[in-house]
Amino acid sequence: MTRASLAGWPGLNGSYENANFLRELAESLPRILPEGGPDKAALLQRLANEELAQAEYEDQVRAKVTVARADARPGMTTEQLRQRLHGRYQELRDAV
């Protein structure tokens, strides 16, 4: 799944844009605020990395949701699942 195919999801580009903005700000910080020191730039870089990681995670979740929604296999109700699990539990218990 590509970012282009997920472009319709709300908020998709926001995290990437935030990460890019923070990274650019961290790179420009020594020019903008010379007394800021490397600690503030490192903090901005860390925030950018966290924002990027969050965006990538959201992409993975969106891709999984898209695949799940496209799945044409028949679903199972909660009650059907409960009965199936209970039956399997009985089989395992009886085997012991």
Side-chain angles (χ1 to χ4, degrees), residues 3 11-24 27 43-62:
R3 281 181 39 89
L12 175 66
N13 296 323
S15 295
Y16 285 105
E17 289 173 1
N18 291 344
N20 287 333
F21 172 76
L22 290 168
R23 193 155 280 137
E24 289 171 8
E27 292 169 0
L43 176 62
L44 287 172
Q45 283 288 355
R46 193 176 91 220
L47 291 172
N49 291 341
E50 290 174 5
E51 192 73 26
L52 183 59
Q54 181 65 32
E56 290 170 349
Y57 171 76
E58 290 171 3
D59 278 353
Q60 292 171 359
V61 170
R62 285 183 182 98

